[in-house]
């Protein structure tokens, strides 16, 4: 009896220990499962949220496959970057004068050679007189061709696809992708970065937007960055051609800031930047998703902002209207030919009669 009595408690304790271990293991498992579900749900929400920020346009459908230049240089990429400005609401205080309606006030054709190690950004002055091809607007209505229209008016009349078609007709270069950023979204991206540093070799004395900066280095927040890239009056000769230099300088500074912060190592910062960057973003349909943008960004990881060349499309002052410029030949033709062939740009093709080059 004594032996049985001694063994019975032991026999009864073992199942209780086993049951307790199972309960603890089950609790840990359920907790981990719950955390995974929460994390997965948050990840899916974040992805869906960022994905939903992006608008897209099917260029082949909008322009017509047969109306586009053939791709000449294999594996090279040409991206048309547009900065649009609604000129109302949050953008009303900027240095752009008394003009209503949407405009594409910044346009850069970025050529990335087959090696994907460098890039060339060609700015197209907004005041350039161009031939607008026949296009379809956002409602599917036909907008007829027109000669001697300002380049930035094409966007307001017929939308981004018509801007792509105009650039392709002007250059003979197939635009593989286009990215349009509304300036309101641009402001959010700069603020998410904590500002961008720029260095001026001469002061900005204030224009209609009121931006005043001495020569030297400045850390600009989102609002002042908008004023910086829109500055025209109060800097240099007050022309749009001078503003292009500021825009190119700021683009390089912002790319350098993004690279410097290495957001990939900080998920919270990465999400904040991605959320700000995808708001007010419109792309071609191939890039029109978070996955498409991510894949494209990975393919461009070898491009160093420090090696990017920034030039302006060669222009000359129009003889009829000296406040406008026209495409300068033969310089522009040589520039487009070099980019189509994925070859270095001749020095002569970088000279612009309108700025004494």
């Amino acid at each position: 009896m004594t032996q049985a009595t001694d063994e019975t408690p032991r026999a009864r304790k073992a199942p209780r220990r086993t049951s307790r271990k199972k309960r603890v293991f089950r609790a840990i498992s359920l907790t981990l499962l719950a955390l995974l579900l929460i994390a997965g749900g948050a990840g899916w929400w974040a992805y869906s949220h960022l994905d939903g920020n992006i608008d897209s346009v099917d260029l082949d459908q909008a322009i017509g496959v047969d109306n586009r230049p053939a791709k000449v240089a294999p594996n090279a990429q040409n991206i048309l970057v547009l900065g649009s400005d609604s000129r109302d609401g949050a953008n009303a205080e900027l240095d752009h004068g008394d003009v209503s309606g949407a405009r594409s006030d910044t346009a850069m054709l970025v050529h990335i050679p087959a090696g994907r190690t460098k890039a060339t950004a060609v700015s197209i002055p907004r005041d350039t007189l161009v031939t607008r091809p026949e296009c379809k607007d956002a409602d599917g209505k036909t907008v007829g061709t027109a000669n001697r229209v300002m380049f930035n008016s094409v966007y307001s009349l017929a939308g981004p696809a018509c801007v792509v078609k105009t650039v392709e007709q002007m250059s003979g270069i197939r635009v593989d992708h286009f990215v349009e950023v509304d300036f309101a979204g641009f402001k959010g991206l700069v603020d998410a970065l904590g500002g961008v540093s720029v260095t001026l070799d001469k002061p900005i004395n204030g224009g209609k937007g009121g931006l005043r900066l001495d020569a030297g280095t400045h850390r600009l927040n989102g609002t002042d960055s908008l004023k910086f890239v829109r500055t025209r009056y109060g800097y240099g000769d007050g022309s749009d051609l001078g503003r292009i230099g500021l825009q190119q300088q700021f683009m390089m500074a912002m790319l350098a800031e993004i690279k410097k912060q290495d957001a990939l190592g900080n998920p919270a910062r990465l999400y904040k930047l991605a959320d700000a960057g995808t708001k007010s973003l419109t792309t071609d349909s191939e890039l029109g998703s978070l996955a498409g943008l991510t894949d494209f960004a990975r393919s461009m990881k070898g491009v160093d902002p420090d090696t990017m060349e920034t030039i302006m499309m060669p222009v000359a002052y129009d003889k009829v209207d000296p406040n406008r410029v026209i495409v300068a030949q033969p310089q522009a033709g040589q520039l487009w030919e070099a980019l189509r062939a994925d070859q270095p740009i001749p020095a002569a093709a970088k000279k612009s009669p309108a700025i004494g080059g």
Side-chain angles (χ1 to χ4, degrees):
M1 288 293 292
T2 304
Q3 184 176 359
T5 302
D6 291 340
E7 290 179 354
T8 299
R10 294 191 192 102
R12 288 172 181 167
K13 287 179 182 178
R16 281 199 294 270
R17 286 197 297 267
T18 303
S19 177
R20 189 179 298 113
K21 289 179 181 178
K22 287 182 179 179
R23 286 197 299 271
V24 172
F25 178 76
R26 187 181 298 114
I28 294 173
S29 299
L30 290 174
T31 301
L32 289 173
L33 178 60
L35 289 173
L36 287 172
L37 288 174
I38 292 170
W44 174 248
W45 177 87
Y47 182 92
S48 299
H49 176 74
L50 295 176
D51 208 48
N53 283 346
I54 307 168
D55 293 326
S56 64
V57 175
D58 188 328
L59 292 180
D60 283 340
Q61 183 179 31
I63 299 175
V65 178
D66 296 335
N67 295 325
R68 308 190 67 190
K71 190 173 179 64
V72 178
N75 299 320
Q77 292 281 304
N78 297 294
I79 304 103
L80 183 64
V81 180
L82 303 177
S84 62
D85 184 357
S86 65
R87 298 179 178 247
D88 57 38
N91 297 329
E93 78 281 6
L94 302 181
D95 185 15
H96 47 47
D98 300 323
V99 183
S100 61
R103 294 288 190 276
S104 175
D105 279 340
T106 302
M108 295 182 186
L109 183 63
V110 180
H111 175 76
I112 302 173
R116 306 288 176 92
T117 58
K118 59 182 180 179
T120 300
V122 181
S123 291
I124 302 174
R126 47 165 279 175
D127 291 341
T128 306
L129 296 177
V130 299
T131 297
R132 186 189 66 230
E134 181 179 290
C135 296
K136 299 284 187 181
D137 64 14
D139 298 324
K141 296 180 181 178
T142 299
V143 177
T145 185
N147 298 320
R148 289 178 58 82
V149 300
M150 280 180 58
F151 177 75
N152 75 327
S153 71
V154 177
Y155 177 93
S156 61
L157 187 63
C162 195
V163 179
V164 171
K165 188 175 182 179
T166 301
V167 171
E168 289 187 338
Q169 176 179 274
M170 180 170 59
S171 66
I173 293 174
R174 174 68 169 253
V175 175
D176 300 291
H177 302 292
F178 94 92
V179 176
E180 175 196 341
V181 181
D182 184 88
F183 279 163
F186 167 86
K187 174 183 174 181
L189 178 59
V190 173
D191 284 334
L193 284 167
V196 172
S197 296
V198 296
T199 301
L200 292 171
D201 58 359
K202 55 185 176 183
I204 295 177
N205 294 318
K208 295 179 181 179
L211 183 65
R212 293 182 180 275
L213 295 173
D214 294 330
T217 300
H218 303 270
R219 186 77 174 179
L220 304 180
N221 61 20
T223 298
D224 285 341
S225 294
L226 278 176
K227 292 179 180 180
F228 185 87
V229 299
R230 294 289 298 117
T231 290
R232 177 173 180 173
Y233 307 105
Y235 180 77
D237 62 1
S239 72
D240 184 56
L241 304 183
R243 174 167 55 186
I244 285 176
L246 292 178
Q247 291 173 346
Q248 290 179 333
Q249 179 185 359
F250 191 87
M251 180 184 72
M252 302 306 298
M254 185 166 66
L255 289 174
E257 185 68 33
I258 292 172
K259 181 181 179 182
K260 175 184 175 182
Q261 294 196 11
D262 189 23
L264 290 177
N266 186 332
R269 171 58 63 86
L270 178 61
Y271 175 79
K272 188 176 181 180
L273 291 177
D275 187 36
T278 52
K279 285 178 179 176
S280 304
L281 185 68
T282 303
T283 71
D284 61 281
S285 55
E286 189 174 335
L287 297 184
S289 68
L290 193 59
L293 282 173
T294 302
D295 288 344
F296 182 73
R298 285 176 181 151
S299 74
M300 298 294 128
K301 65 181 180 180
V303 178
D304 188 344
D306 293 335
T307 66
M308 181 180 288
E309 182 179 22
T310 57
I311 61 177
M312 185 178 68
M313 179 185 73
V315 291
Y317 286 112
D318 183 53
K319 294 180 179 180
V320 177
D321 184 353
N323 293 317
R324 303 288 178 258
V325 294
I326 58 174
V327 178
Q329 297 295 355
Q331 296 95 326
Q334 295 168 349
L335 168 67
W336 302 136
E337 183 179 1
L339 295 182
R340 285 195 299 269
D342 204 23
Q343 297 294 318
I345 301 171
K350 302 175 185 179
K351 295 181 179 180
S352 188
I355 55 176

mmCIF file of all heavy atoms in Angstrom, residues 1 25-26 33 36 44 49 68 102 108 121 126 128 133 143 160 170 187 192 198 215 270 272 283-284 293 327 339:
data_model
loop_
_atom_site.group_PDB
_atom_site.id
_atom_site.type_symbol
_atom_site.label_atom_id
_atom_site.label_comp_id
_atom_site.label_asym_id
_atom_site.label_seq_id
_atom_site.Cartn_x
_atom_site.Cartn_y
_atom_site.Cartn_z
ATOM 1 N N MET A 1 0.813 -1.199 0.000
ATOM 2 C CA MET A 1 0.000 0.000 0.000
ATOM 3 C C MET A 1 0.854 1.260 0.000
ATOM 4 O O MET A 1 0.584 2.202 -0.708
ATOM 5 C CB MET A 1 -0.917 0.036 1.215
ATOM 6 C CG MET A 1 -2.068 -0.988 1.127
ATOM 7 S SD MET A 1 -3.231 -0.605 -0.178
ATOM 8 C CE MET A 1 -3.946 0.870 0.441
ATOM 9 N N PHE A 25 2.704 25.769 -24.684
ATOM 10 C CA PHE A 25 3.092 25.705 -26.098
ATOM 11 C C PHE A 25 1.964 26.232 -26.991
ATOM 12 O O PHE A 25 2.191 26.976 -27.942
ATOM 13 C CB PHE A 25 3.424 24.259 -26.472
ATOM 14 C CG PHE A 25 3.795 24.083 -27.917
ATOM 15 C CD1 PHE A 25 5.038 24.463 -28.387
ATOM 16 C CD2 PHE A 25 2.879 23.558 -28.824
ATOM 17 C CE1 PHE A 25 5.380 24.316 -29.710
ATOM 18 C CE2 PHE A 25 3.203 23.404 -30.153
ATOM 19 C CZ PHE A 25 4.458 23.780 -30.599
ATOM 20 N N ARG A 26 0.726 25.829 -26.607
ATOM 21 C CA ARG A 26 -0.431 26.276 -27.392
ATOM 22 C C ARG A 26 -0.585 27.792 -27.302
ATOM 23 O O ARG A 26 -0.866 28.470 -28.288
ATOM 24 C CB ARG A 26 -1.692 25.578 -26.907
ATOM 25 C CG ARG A 26 -2.908 25.859 -27.784
ATOM 26 C CD ARG A 26 -4.155 25.178 -27.261
ATOM 27 N NE ARG A 26 -3.989 23.725 -27.258
ATOM 28 C CZ ARG A 26 -3.943 22.985 -26.164
ATOM 29 N NH1 ARG A 26 -4.036 23.556 -24.973
ATOM 30 N NH2 ARG A 26 -3.805 21.677 -26.242
ATOM 31 N N LEU A 33 0.985 33.061 -33.959
ATOM 32 C CA LEU A 33 0.078 33.063 -35.104
ATOM 33 C C LEU A 33 -0.656 34.391 -35.206
ATOM 34 O O LEU A 33 -0.801 34.963 -36.287
ATOM 35 C CB LEU A 33 -0.931 31.913 -34.978
ATOM 36 C CG LEU A 33 -1.981 31.811 -36.088
ATOM 37 C CD1 LEU A 33 -1.300 31.614 -37.438
ATOM 38 C CD2 LEU A 33 -2.938 30.659 -35.808
ATOM 39 N N LEU A 36 1.706 36.995 -36.480
ATOM 40 C CA LEU A 36 1.918 36.830 -37.917
ATOM 41 C C LEU A 36 0.727 37.342 -38.717
ATOM 42 O O LEU A 36 0.874 37.990 -39.749
ATOM 43 C CB LEU A 36 2.177 35.351 -38.238
ATOM 44 C CG LEU A 36 3.548 34.817 -37.819
ATOM 45 C CD1 LEU A 36 3.596 33.307 -38.020
ATOM 46 C CD2 LEU A 36 4.655 35.484 -38.611
ATOM 47 N N TRP A 44 -0.295 43.707 -45.846
ATOM 48 C CA TRP A 44 -1.249 43.755 -46.967
ATOM 49 C C TRP A 44 -1.935 45.115 -47.038
ATOM 50 O O TRP A 44 -2.111 45.673 -48.108
ATOM 51 C CB TRP A 44 -2.284 42.648 -46.802
ATOM 52 C CG TRP A 44 -3.372 42.730 -47.829
ATOM 53 C CD1 TRP A 44 -4.677 43.040 -47.637
ATOM 54 C CD2 TRP A 44 -3.227 42.532 -49.241
ATOM 55 N NE1 TRP A 44 -5.362 43.045 -48.832
ATOM 56 C CE2 TRP A 44 -4.499 42.738 -49.825
ATOM 57 C CE3 TRP A 44 -2.144 42.200 -50.054
ATOM 58 C CZ2 TRP A 44 -4.712 42.615 -51.196
ATOM 59 C CZ3 TRP A 44 -2.362 42.085 -51.420
ATOM 60 C CH2 TRP A 44 -3.623 42.287 -51.971
ATOM 61 N N HIS A 49 -2.556 50.067 -49.682
ATOM 62 C CA HIS A 49 -2.636 51.522 -49.567
ATOM 63 C C HIS A 49 -1.694 52.197 -50.561
ATOM 64 O O HIS A 49 -2.094 53.119 -51.285
ATOM 65 C CB HIS A 49 -2.282 51.945 -48.138
ATOM 66 C CG HIS A 49 -2.246 53.428 -47.943
ATOM 67 N ND1 HIS A 49 -3.386 54.202 -47.873
ATOM 68 C CD2 HIS A 49 -1.198 54.287 -47.804
ATOM 69 C CE1 HIS A 49 -3.046 55.466 -47.700
ATOM 70 N NE2 HIS A 49 -1.722 55.547 -47.655
ATOM 71 N N ARG A 68 3.838 55.183 -82.739
ATOM 72 C CA ARG A 68 4.970 55.394 -81.856
ATOM 73 C C ARG A 68 6.271 54.972 -82.536
ATOM 74 O O ARG A 68 6.279 54.039 -83.343
ATOM 75 C CB ARG A 68 4.766 54.620 -80.557
ATOM 76 C CG ARG A 68 3.423 54.897 -79.883
ATOM 77 C CD ARG A 68 3.371 54.305 -78.507
ATOM 78 N NE ARG A 68 4.319 54.984 -77.621
ATOM 79 C CZ ARG A 68 4.622 54.543 -76.404
ATOM 80 N NH1 ARG A 68 4.085 53.415 -75.959
ATOM 81 N NH2 ARG A 68 5.478 55.211 -75.651
ATOM 82 N N ALA A 102 -4.233 73.413 -65.093
ATOM 83 C CA ALA A 102 -3.096 72.521 -64.887
ATOM 84 C C ALA A 102 -2.049 72.720 -65.969
ATOM 85 O O ALA A 102 -2.360 72.997 -67.120
ATOM 86 C CB ALA A 102 -3.566 71.073 -64.873
ATOM 87 N N MET A 108 11.448 66.293 -68.154
ATOM 88 C CA MET A 108 12.794 65.786 -68.374
ATOM 89 C C MET A 108 12.712 64.407 -69.025
ATOM 90 O O MET A 108 12.003 63.536 -68.541
ATOM 91 C CB MET A 108 13.565 65.656 -67.060
ATOM 92 C CG MET A 108 13.838 66.947 -66.347
ATOM 93 S SD MET A 108 14.813 66.660 -64.844
ATOM 94 C CE MET A 108 14.808 68.316 -64.127
ATOM 95 N N ALA A 121 19.760 63.305 -68.219
ATOM 96 C CA ALA A 121 18.454 63.945 -68.103
ATOM 97 C C ALA A 121 18.420 65.184 -68.997
ATOM 98 O O ALA A 121 19.216 66.105 -68.817
ATOM 99 C CB ALA A 121 18.176 64.334 -66.657
ATOM 100 N N ARG A 126 9.546 74.686 -70.891
ATOM 101 C CA ARG A 126 8.085 74.738 -70.974
ATOM 102 C C ARG A 126 7.611 75.745 -72.009
ATOM 103 O O ARG A 126 6.515 75.613 -72.556
ATOM 104 C CB ARG A 126 7.482 75.086 -69.620
ATOM 105 C CG ARG A 126 8.139 76.247 -68.923
ATOM 106 C CD ARG A 126 7.329 76.805 -67.787
ATOM 107 N NE ARG A 126 6.310 77.704 -68.278
ATOM 108 C CZ ARG A 126 5.385 78.263 -67.506
ATOM 109 N NH1 ARG A 126 5.341 77.992 -66.232
ATOM 110 N NH2 ARG A 126 4.502 79.088 -68.012
ATOM 111 N N THR A 128 8.883 76.273 -74.927
ATOM 112 C CA THR A 128 9.266 75.892 -76.286
ATOM 113 C C THR A 128 8.032 75.803 -77.185
ATOM 114 O O THR A 128 7.023 75.175 -76.824
ATOM 115 C CB THR A 128 9.981 74.525 -76.292
ATOM 116 O OG1 THR A 128 11.075 74.564 -75.371
ATOM 117 C CG2 THR A 128 10.503 74.192 -77.680
ATOM 118 N N PRO A 133 0.775 67.000 -81.932
ATOM 119 C CA PRO A 133 0.133 66.034 -82.826
ATOM 120 C C PRO A 133 -1.333 65.838 -82.458
ATOM 121 O O PRO A 133 -1.787 66.295 -81.411
ATOM 122 C CB PRO A 133 0.929 64.751 -82.569
ATOM 123 C CG PRO A 133 1.391 64.883 -81.159
ATOM 124 C CD PRO A 133 1.652 66.346 -80.940
ATOM 125 N N VAL A 143 -8.262 65.747 -80.115
ATOM 126 C CA VAL A 143 -7.697 67.099 -80.087
ATOM 127 C C VAL A 143 -6.812 67.219 -81.314
ATOM 128 O O VAL A 143 -5.851 66.471 -81.480
ATOM 129 C CB VAL A 143 -6.875 67.327 -78.802
ATOM 130 C CG1 VAL A 143 -6.248 68.708 -78.824
ATOM 131 C CG2 VAL A 143 -7.750 67.145 -77.580
ATOM 132 N N PRO A 160 -1.301 63.748 -70.163
ATOM 133 C CA PRO A 160 0.087 63.271 -70.220
ATOM 134 C C PRO A 160 0.406 62.398 -71.422
ATOM 135 O O PRO A 160 1.534 62.433 -71.921
ATOM 136 C CB PRO A 160 0.248 62.491 -68.908
ATOM 137 C CG PRO A 160 -1.138 62.123 -68.498
ATOM 138 C CD PRO A 160 -2.001 63.258 -68.954
ATOM 139 N N MET A 170 8.752 64.762 -81.625
ATOM 140 C CA MET A 170 9.805 65.774 -81.696
ATOM 141 C C MET A 170 11.190 65.142 -81.750
ATOM 142 O O MET A 170 12.086 65.625 -82.440
ATOM 143 C CB MET A 170 9.684 66.699 -80.476
ATOM 144 C CG MET A 170 10.702 67.803 -80.384
ATOM 145 S SD MET A 170 10.291 68.993 -79.071
ATOM 146 C CE MET A 170 10.251 67.925 -77.637
ATOM 147 N N LYS A 187 6.019 67.879 -52.545
ATOM 148 C CA LYS A 187 6.207 68.558 -51.261
ATOM 149 C C LYS A 187 6.209 67.546 -50.117
ATOM 150 O O LYS A 187 7.055 67.608 -49.214
ATOM 151 C CB LYS A 187 5.093 69.586 -51.059
ATOM 152 C CG LYS A 187 5.079 70.256 -49.694
ATOM 153 C CD LYS A 187 3.884 71.193 -49.588
ATOM 154 C CE LYS A 187 3.779 71.766 -48.179
ATOM 155 N NZ LYS A 187 2.607 72.656 -48.031
ATOM 156 N N ALA A 192 8.958 64.185 -45.961
ATOM 157 C CA ALA A 192 9.212 62.840 -45.443
ATOM 158 C C ALA A 192 10.714 62.568 -45.345
ATOM 159 O O ALA A 192 11.162 61.811 -44.472
ATOM 160 C CB ALA A 192 8.537 61.796 -46.332
ATOM 161 N N VAL A 198 20.548 72.164 -50.636
ATOM 162 C CA VAL A 198 21.002 72.687 -51.925
ATOM 163 C C VAL A 198 22.032 73.777 -51.675
ATOM 164 O O VAL A 198 22.021 74.437 -50.626
ATOM 165 C CB VAL A 198 19.833 73.257 -52.752
ATOM 166 C CG1 VAL A 198 18.844 72.166 -53.116
ATOM 167 C CG2 VAL A 198 19.132 74.392 -52.008
ATOM 168 N N ALA A 215 23.442 83.221 -51.187
ATOM 169 C CA ALA A 215 24.367 82.238 -51.737
ATOM 170 C C ALA A 215 24.884 81.369 -50.599
ATOM 171 O O ALA A 215 25.093 81.836 -49.482
ATOM 172 C CB ALA A 215 25.513 82.938 -52.451
ATOM 173 N N LEU A 270 11.053 53.806 -44.790
ATOM 174 C CA LEU A 270 10.774 53.391 -46.153
ATOM 175 C C LEU A 270 9.293 53.546 -46.480
ATOM 176 O O LEU A 270 8.925 54.047 -47.543
ATOM 177 C CB LEU A 270 11.207 51.934 -46.353
ATOM 178 C CG LEU A 270 10.936 51.335 -47.738
ATOM 179 C CD1 LEU A 270 11.681 52.110 -48.817
ATOM 180 C CD2 LEU A 270 11.336 49.866 -47.764
ATOM 181 N N LYS A 272 7.142 55.547 -45.007
ATOM 182 C CA LYS A 272 6.806 56.967 -45.022
ATOM 183 C C LYS A 272 7.187 57.605 -46.349
ATOM 184 O O LYS A 272 6.414 58.375 -46.935
ATOM 185 C CB LYS A 272 7.512 57.670 -43.862
ATOM 186 C CG LYS A 272 7.092 59.119 -43.655
ATOM 187 C CD LYS A 272 7.783 59.698 -42.433
ATOM 188 C CE LYS A 272 7.355 61.149 -42.195
ATOM 189 N NZ LYS A 272 8.036 61.727 -41.005
ATOM 190 N N THR A 283 1.689 57.081 -63.656
ATOM 191 C CA THR A 283 2.718 56.440 -64.471
ATOM 192 C C THR A 283 2.072 55.776 -65.674
ATOM 193 O O THR A 283 0.847 55.744 -65.814
ATOM 194 C CB THR A 283 3.479 55.367 -63.674
ATOM 195 O OG1 THR A 283 2.608 54.238 -63.462
ATOM 196 C CG2 THR A 283 3.953 55.895 -62.339
ATOM 197 N N ASP A 284 2.910 55.206 -66.548
ATOM 198 C CA ASP A 284 2.382 54.332 -67.585
ATOM 199 C C ASP A 284 1.899 53.048 -66.922
ATOM 200 O O ASP A 284 2.239 52.748 -65.773
ATOM 201 C CB ASP A 284 3.457 54.034 -68.636
ATOM 202 C CG ASP A 284 4.665 53.335 -68.040
ATOM 203 O OD1 ASP A 284 5.508 54.001 -67.423
ATOM 204 O OD2 ASP A 284 4.763 52.105 -68.182
ATOM 205 N N LEU A 293 6.731 49.340 -59.950
ATOM 206 C CA LEU A 293 7.697 50.376 -59.573
ATOM 207 C C LEU A 293 8.898 49.773 -58.854
ATOM 208 O O LEU A 293 10.041 50.171 -59.084
ATOM 209 C CB LEU A 293 7.023 51.408 -58.670
ATOM 210 C CG LEU A 293 6.128 52.447 -59.348
ATOM 211 C CD1 LEU A 293 5.410 53.275 -58.286
ATOM 212 C CD2 LEU A 293 6.915 53.347 -60.278
ATOM 213 N N VAL A 327 13.027 74.866 -80.973
ATOM 214 C CA VAL A 327 14.064 73.836 -80.980
ATOM 215 C C VAL A 327 15.193 74.275 -81.903
ATOM 216 O O VAL A 327 14.954 74.674 -83.054
ATOM 217 C CB VAL A 327 13.487 72.490 -81.448
ATOM 218 C CG1 VAL A 327 14.580 71.421 -81.495
ATOM 219 C CG2 VAL A 327 12.358 72.052 -80.519
ATOM 220 N N LEU A 339 21.039 59.795 -78.496
ATOM 221 C CA LEU A 339 20.259 59.049 -77.515
ATOM 222 C C LEU A 339 19.567 57.840 -78.152
ATOM 223 O O LEU A 339 19.494 56.772 -77.536
ATOM 224 C CB LEU A 339 19.222 59.964 -76.858
ATOM 225 C CG LEU A 339 19.772 61.108 -75.998
ATOM 226 C CD1 LEU A 339 18.638 61.897 -75.362
ATOM 227 C CD2 LEU A 339 20.719 60.591 -74.928
#
